[in-house]
Amino acid sequence: MTESAVVSNQQTENKQAVQSEYPACRFSIAPMLDWTDRHCRYFHRLLSEHAQLYTEMVTTGAIIHGKADYLAYNEEEHPLVLQLGGSNPADLATCAKLAAERGYDEINLNVGCPSDRVQNGRFGACLMGEAELVAQCVAAMREVVDIPVSVKTRIGIDEQDSYPFLTDFVGIVSEKGGCRDFTIHARKAWLSGLSPKENREIPPLDYPRVYQLKKDFPHLTMGINGGIKTLEEMEAHLAHMDGVMVGREAYQNPYLLAEIDQRLFGSDTPMKKRRAVVEAMFPYIERELSQGAYLNHITRHMLGLFQNMPGARQWRRHISENAHKPGSGIEVLEQALAKIPAHLDV
């Protein structure tokens, strides 16, 4: 066995040991439509070995009837969760089985997205009002796969935002559907009158309600989501919850992820430097470009890597102005890196 193979095997064993010590949801990056594609996930995985990554929500219709491969991912992305959108138990079971066969680590049912497009398809946050149906969906998926099936939901919808409504929903889905893993976005959703963006900002956060839910369902694994931006906030939530999920902050300030393994998983692996992360992306970028990918589809996820650092604006500008040009390659990133002062150990 080569030295590199020995190192790789040791890294795999260390990763598995750390992950077995904590619930899978201890730290996860939220699924976001049109953002958490496989390029984004590969980049995030370079920053954290142990973060649980999610696909953007994929509808059952797209998987079953679409012409594209909506289940494609890079092997390096594990642990990886497929988030499904749908409300037909049979279709969800079909997709869950396909995903399990492709090697996904978990299936997650979206019961939190409030967009009109999602509501018209009868899935997303509107399903909070149909707990029995959600239980049937979860049960159907659990029947055909051996991997976990989880639910991501809100604390309420419209005027149905009482604590008993929330506990009834979780109780029915866990008891009748067999769901043991939930991620709770600590805001309710307005199904009309607010855009998806406004639904992520306007309804007030209610962390104590989510903490109480965990207390009332101690046998369930629960993560919390919504408005979490710093490692200190994550650690505070983990005093009450099994896991934390971070959304927009992971995209706007991705270097936040570089300290996750050390702070939340007790890893003794040194934090990666920003420059090293960029250079580690080069082989992936060259491989993807050779297969027809566009550079800007990959680099758009990297724009915030140097946030609040000297040269960050020039880094973003150079990539934004050049990555979309035909034939552009890693030289764009090399030139952008040159905008960061060389004396900075970043």
Side-chain angles (χ1 to χ4, degrees):
M1 184 179 291
T2 65
E3 182 178 349
S4 62
V6 171
V7 171
S8 178
N9 286 344
Q10 185 62 52
Q11 290 173 337
T12 299
E13 290 174 6
N14 292 342
K15 184 174 180 178
Q16 291 171 343
V18 170
Q19 289 170 351
S20 65
E21 186 178 343
Y22 300 100
C25 70
R26 182 167 176 82
F27 177 82
S28 55
I29 301 174
M32 288 187 70
L33 280 171
D34 302 321
W35 200 263
T36 45
D37 60 24
R38 61 189 181 87
H39 303 314
C40 178
R41 299 191 302 264
Y42 187 93
F43 173 55
H44 283 171
R45 177 59 70 219
L46 286 178
L47 290 160
S48 169
E49 286 188 2
H50 304 302
Q52 188 181 51
L53 304 182
Y54 277 67
T55 70
E56 56 189 325
M57 183 185 68
V58 186
T59 66
T60 54
I63 294 173
I64 295 172
H65 305 295
K67 295 181 180 179
D69 182 2
Y70 291 96
L71 297 179
Y73 66 91
N74 306 289
E75 284 298 325
E76 296 88 346
E77 294 173 34
H78 293 291
L80 179 62
V81 181
L82 171 68
Q83 187 180 69
L84 288 175
S87 59
N88 181 294
D91 288 349
L92 285 164
T94 296
C95 294
K97 186 175 181 180
L98 290 171
E101 291 170 350
R102 293 286 289 272
Y104 279 86
D105 299 292
E106 181 177 317
I107 308 297
N108 179 263
L109 180 63
N110 184 315
V111 189
C113 183
S115 76
D116 292 339
R117 180 172 51 148
V118 166
Q119 290 179 58
N120 291 337
R122 198 187 175 200
F123 52 90
C126 64
L127 285 177
M128 278 203 82
E130 299 186 69
E132 295 282 351
L133 176 58
V134 174
Q136 293 169 22
C137 291
V138 171
M141 289 187 282
R142 293 183 70 246
E143 183 70 24
V144 298
V145 301
D146 294 324
I147 58 177
V149 176
S150 59
V151 167
K152 185 174 187 292
T153 189
R154 296 271 184 144
I155 59 174
I157 49 172
D158 296 338
E159 302 301 335
Q160 296 175 290
D161 61 354
S162 69
Y163 187 66
F165 171 77
L166 178 58
T167 57
D168 285 348
F169 174 83
V170 171
I172 290 171
V173 175
S174 61
E175 292 167 16
K176 295 187 177 182
C179 185
R180 294 291 175 267
D181 302 278
F182 290 82
T183 298
I184 312 296
H185 186 151
R187 288 184 174 95
K188 75 179 212 178
W190 287 102
L191 299 181
S192 60
L194 294 181
S195 69
K197 181 178 184 296
E198 290 170 330
N199 259 304
R200 293 193 299 267
E201 299 171 349
I202 293 177
L205 288 160
D206 192 345
Y207 296 138
R209 178 169 293 198
V210 183
Y211 297 165
Q212 186 61 48
L213 191 68
K214 173 60 185 176
K215 287 182 180 178
D216 291 339
F217 294 90
H219 58 292
L220 300 179
T221 300
M222 286 193 183
I224 190 168
N225 171 229
I228 303 169
K229 295 184 177 181
T230 68
L231 283 153
E232 290 72 25
E233 290 170 356
M234 296 176 209
E235 290 169 333
H237 287 304
L238 287 171
H240 305 274
M241 306 296 296
D242 300 302
V244 292
M245 174 181 279
V246 172
R248 284 166 290 168
E249 194 66 17
Y251 309 111
Q252 296 167 1
N253 179 26
Y255 197 64
L256 172 77
L257 305 177
E259 203 174 351
I260 291 297
D261 294 351
Q262 292 76 22
R263 290 279 290 271
L264 303 188
F265 291 93
S267 173
D268 56 6
T269 302
M271 283 178 59
K272 293 180 180 177
K273 303 288 188 179
R274 293 173 177 85
R275 292 182 190 274
V277 172
V278 175
E279 290 168 356
M281 283 291 293
F282 289 171
Y284 175 79
I285 291 171
E286 290 182 321
R287 183 183 80 199
E288 290 297 312
L289 294 180
S290 72
Q291 296 173 0
Y294 295 97
L295 181 65
N296 61 318
H297 290 178
I298 303 172
T299 56
R300 69 189 183 104
H301 303 297
M302 304 170 65
L303 293 176
L305 183 60
F306 291 91
Q307 181 169 300
N308 299 323
M309 299 292 297
R313 182 179 298 179
Q314 291 87 343
W315 156 268
R316 292 193 303 269
R317 178 181 297 168
H318 187 82
I319 294 174
S320 298
E321 291 178 351
N322 294 281
H324 67 282
K325 295 179 179 178
S328 56
I330 61 170
E331 72 280 352
V332 172
L333 286 170
E334 291 172 330
Q335 293 160 3
L337 268 181
K339 308 292 183 182
I340 307 298
H343 69 276
L344 294 178
D345 183 25
V346 296

